[in-house]
């Protein structure tokens, strides 16, 4: 039998092996997670005790061939190098560790995030490390595209005599601004961001605020390619 803690109620209940097996199987069968259990041997080496099919795909070999191998023996070199380096840190600190890595492979660029979770003997010395890896290649690509677009906007904005800005309709805040030699209306770009949802009340002429508010609601109803415009008076610093 095993004791499972409830952090919210600070109580404990008895968990049966069947419950734990169900939890274990659910994690291992998750299609988006590469999960492996690494045993820390008395001689200091680490060997793979268990792994799911996602790990086998990364290793380019059947999953049953991974059992008993060290990460270096079972995984491709760049992934093994990164895992072994972080395993040493995890074991030295006896605490969970999370890291990200990107790698160029024949099939394309791979980016992943791995969490290492050590378990401990009664004496406190780790005996196993559970590793959970998630593919974040799409997220990494989108972040790269966003950074590229932001750099282009900043470069364009620095040359424009007008002001350009990105306005978040949901939070009603300016997320990015440029133009007018990077001092739009005499303000620093960061000041627009710090104004938050008070931007319109603070800057727009009182007689124009209703018209601007209606204009800011319009984009939510626009189709792709449609344009909405408004003319209003704003306060210069």
């Amino acid at each position: 039998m095993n004791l499972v803690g409830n952090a919210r109620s600070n109580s404990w209940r008895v968990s049966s092996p069947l419950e734990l097996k169900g939890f274990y199987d659910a994690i291992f069968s998750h299609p988006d997670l590469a999960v492996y259990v690494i045993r820390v041997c008395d001689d200091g080496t680490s060997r793979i005790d268990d792994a799911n099919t996602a790990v086998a795909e990364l290793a380019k070999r059947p999953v049953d061939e991974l059992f008993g191998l060290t990460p270096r023996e079972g995984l491709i070199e760049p992934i093994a190098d990164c895992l072994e380096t972080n395993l040493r840190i995890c074991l030295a600190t006896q605490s969970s560790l999370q890291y990200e890595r990107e790698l160029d492979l024949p099939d394309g660029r791979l980016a992943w995030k791995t969490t290492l979770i050590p378990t401990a003997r009664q004496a406190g010395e780790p005996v196993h490390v559970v590793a959970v890896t998630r593919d974040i290649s799409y997220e990494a690509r989108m972040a790269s595209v966003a950074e590229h677009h932001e750099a282009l906007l900043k470069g364009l904005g620095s040359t424009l005599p007008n002001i350009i800005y990105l306005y978040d309709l949901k939070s009603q805040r300016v997320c990015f601004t440029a133009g007018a030699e990077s001092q739009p209306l005499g303000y620093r770009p960061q000041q627009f961001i710090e104004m938050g949802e008070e931007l319109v009340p603070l800057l727009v002429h009182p007689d124009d605020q209703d018209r601007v508010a209606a204009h800011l609601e319009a984009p939510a109803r626009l189709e792709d390619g449609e344009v909405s415009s408004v003319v209003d008076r704003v306060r210069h610093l």
Side-chain angles (χ1 to χ4, degrees):
M1 304 292 282
N2 296 273
L3 290 177
V4 177
N6 185 328
R8 291 189 178 183
S9 63
N10 198 29
S11 62
W12 295 87
R13 68 181 179 83
V14 177
S15 176
S16 70
L18 185 60
E19 288 178 308
L20 292 176
K21 183 180 183 303
F23 176 78
Y24 189 86
D25 290 345
I27 296 296
F28 263 66
S29 62
H30 197 292
D32 298 327
L33 300 176
V35 186
Y36 31 108
V37 179
I38 301 169
R39 172 169 43 92
V40 183
C41 304
D42 291 336
D43 62 3
T45 61
S46 300
R47 298 190 177 275
I48 299 171
D49 264 6
D50 204 355
N52 65 357
T53 54
V55 176
E57 292 175 2
L58 281 174
K60 307 296 184 185
R61 63 197 307 168
V63 68
D64 56 357
E65 291 185 5
L66 292 170
F67 303 149
L69 300 181
T70 66
R72 187 170 297 280
E73 291 169 341
L75 304 173
I76 62 174
E77 185 175 349
I79 293 179
D81 287 343
C82 188
L83 175 59
E84 288 189 337
T85 297
N86 286 282
L87 266 176
R88 287 192 291 270
I89 299 172
C90 178
L91 294 171
T93 60
Q94 296 191 28
S95 60
S96 298
L97 174 69
Q98 190 172 84
Y99 64 92
E100 296 182 17
R101 176 74 190 275
E102 293 188 24
L103 182 66
D104 288 317
L105 298 173
D107 297 335
R109 189 168 187 82
L110 174 66
W112 72 92
K113 177 184 290 186
T114 295
T115 301
L116 302 179
I117 308 168
T119 63
R121 295 192 184 99
Q122 284 187 338
E125 183 180 343
V127 62
H128 283 92
V129 174
V130 179
V132 182
T133 295
R134 183 170 66 88
D135 186 345
I136 58 169
S137 301
Y138 178 77
E139 297 169 31
R141 286 196 298 271
M142 291 301 98
S144 178
V145 169
E147 289 173 1
H148 176 65
H149 287 172
E150 183 175 351
L152 286 176
L153 279 174
K154 286 182 177 178
L156 177 63
S158 65
T159 66
L160 290 175
N162 300 318
I163 303 168
I164 60 172
Y165 61 92
L166 181 63
Y167 188 81
D168 188 325
L169 292 174
K170 187 174 182 179
S171 65
Q172 297 185 344
R173 294 172 178 268
V174 170
C175 304
F176 166 83
T177 185
E181 298 180 353
S182 297
Q183 291 287 329
L185 302 177
Y187 297 89
R188 290 179 291 103
Q190 183 62 28
Q191 289 179 280
F192 285 99
I193 297 173
E194 292 170 353
M195 289 178 194
E197 59 186 17
E198 294 300 313
L199 179 75
V200 172
L202 287 173
L203 293 186
V204 176
H205 192 285
D207 292 344
D208 297 337
Q209 289 189 14
D210 288 344
R211 184 164 62 253
V212 170
H215 165 72
L216 292 175
E217 293 177 0
R221 300 187 296 271
L222 296 178
E223 300 291 336
D224 287 346
E226 285 190 290
V227 177
S228 175
S229 62
V230 67
V231 177
D232 62 275
R233 291 162 289 179
V234 293
R235 186 177 68 180
H236 196 286
L237 185 65

